[in-house]
């Protein structure tokens, strides 16, 4: 069992199921499916906790009943929330607009920037980062000497000292990158071992100092794409922490992501929990 710290958003997702895909100027019927816990902190953290790791969240929620509900939900999933900051004011839910084909559009409210501690508490085998906060590069740099550091590519392309940098082809495309490895090194620094770009049903590509290679996606029926990238990151991390080669860890990430795609949920589905129970038991 590894000690993993996750710096990511803990969200309340309000789900609106649309009658047809979004288009400019359209009038679209929707069904309100209620709220559910989500965000990278819950999505990635839950999968890792189910895999037997001890997961500590560094995140924030509002000082209100909805924030309390989120913390109760996270604790019920096996996540440690002692370092989740309670900021003044309400917790603002996200609006997830779900299209009939499973694709989603996220309406994200403005929120206070996360306040991070000056250093990580206790021993850490791995750190995963999926947001932007003041002092984050310095904290990540400290963690490089403690264990493996993983990060999602930030939208503002700020520095992310890490060993493994992850993004999707959709998030990378606007930057018109001609040399992904050099681009990844500019963000992650000299400690980067691999820059991994997921490509949905086309699998993922890993760019390393020695070249690049592809790993296929796991075939599945798509119900909801929400949280698939978070589950992929969890499977990748678990594999590497267990000493798997990068190729095998990426295959595991694809398998874990397939369970998320099959489920109308933000957090990993019970199918993943059952799979882990039988595969590890």
């Amino acid at each position: 069992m590894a000690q993993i710290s996750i710096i990511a958003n803990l969200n309340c997702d309000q789900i609106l199921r649309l009658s047809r895909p979004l288009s400019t100027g359209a009038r679209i019927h929707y069904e309100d499916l209620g709220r559910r816990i989500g965000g990278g902190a819950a999505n990635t953290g839950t999968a890792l906790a189910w895999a037997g790791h001890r997961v500590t969240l560094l995140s924030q929620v509002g000082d209100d009943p909805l924030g309390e509900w989120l913390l109760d939900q996270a604790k019920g999933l096996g996540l440690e929330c002692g370092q989740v900051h309670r900021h003044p004011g309400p917790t603002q839910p996200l609006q997830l607009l779900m299209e009939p084909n499973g694709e989603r559009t996220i309406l994200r409210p403005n929120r206070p920037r996360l306040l991070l501690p000056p250093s990580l508490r206790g021993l850490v085998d791995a750190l995963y980062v999926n947001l932007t906060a003041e002092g984050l590069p310095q904290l990540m740099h400290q963690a490089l000497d403690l264990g493996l550091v993983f990060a999602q590519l930030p939208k503002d392309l700020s520095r992310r000292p890490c060993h493994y940098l992850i993004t999707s082809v959709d998030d990378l495309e606007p930057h018109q990158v001609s040399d992904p490895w050099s681009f990844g090194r500019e963000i992650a620094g000299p400690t980067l071992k691999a820059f991994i770009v997921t490509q949905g049903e086309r699998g993922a590509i890993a760019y390393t100092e020695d070249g690049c290679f592809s790993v296929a996606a796991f075939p599945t029926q798509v119900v909801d794409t929400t949280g698939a990238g978070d589950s992929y990151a969890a499977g990748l991390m678990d594999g590497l922490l267990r000493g798997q080669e990068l190729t095998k860890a990426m295959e595991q990430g694809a398998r874990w992501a397939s369970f998320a795609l099959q489920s109308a949920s933000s957090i990993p589905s019970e199918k993943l929990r059952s799979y882990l129970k039988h595969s590890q038991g």
Side-chain angles (χ1 to χ4, degrees), residues 184-260:
R185 282 284 295 259
E186 289 181 7
I187 303 297
T191 56
L192 185 67
K193 297 178 183 292
F195 179 30
I196 299 167
V197 182
T198 60
Q199 303 180 104
E201 63 183 13
R202 291 181 290 131
I205 300 177
Y207 297 93
T208 71
E209 190 171 20
D210 298 323
C212 65
F213 61 87
S214 299
V215 173
F218 195 87
T220 190
Q221 182 68 38
V222 177
V223 174
D224 184 344
T225 59
T226 308
D230 296 322
S231 291
Y232 181 94
L236 176 77
M237 292 170 61
D238 175 80
L240 291 171
L241 286 167
R242 294 181 189 275
Q244 294 179 4
E245 295 293 330
L246 180 57
T247 302
K248 290 295 183 183
M250 290 173 66
E251 290 175 355
Q252 177 168 283
R255 183 64 181 265
W256 288 26
S258 74
F259 289 110

Side-chain angles (χ1 to χ4, degrees), residues 120-136:
L120 295 173
R121 300 177 190 172
L123 297 175
V124 175
D125 298 305
L127 172 66
Y128 174 69
V129 174
N130 190 10
L131 53 63
T132 297
E134 296 292 341
L136 185 56

Side-chain angles (χ1 to χ4, degrees), residues 31-66:
E31 179 183 0
D32 190 338
L33 301 182
R35 68 187 185 187
R36 66 192 190 194
I37 187 173
N43 301 345
T44 303
T46 298
L48 290 167
W50 286 353
H53 301 292
R54 184 177 179 181
V55 180
T56 298
L57 303 185
L58 284 79
S59 190
Q60 64 177 344
V61 296
D63 188 16
D64 65 342
L66 184 55

Side-chain angles (χ1 to χ4, degrees), residues 102-163:
E103 290 296 333
R104 81 280 190 262
T105 298
I106 300 175
L107 304 182
R108 187 185 302 276
N110 291 324
R111 67 181 87 195
R113 182 157 284 200
L114 177 63
L115 299 176
L116 292 173
S119 61
L120 295 173
R121 300 177 190 172
L123 297 175
V124 175
D125 298 305
L127 172 66
Y128 174 69
V129 174
N130 190 10
L131 53 63
T132 297
E134 296 292 341
L136 185 56
Q138 294 87 337
L139 194 67
M140 294 178 70
H141 193 271
Q142 295 174 22
L144 291 172
D145 295 328
L146 301 177
L148 292 178
V149 179
F150 302 80
Q152 292 283 347
L153 179 71
K155 296 189 183 304
D156 63 0
L157 303 185
S158 54
R159 290 199 63 236
R160 289 290 183 274
C162 63
H163 299 109

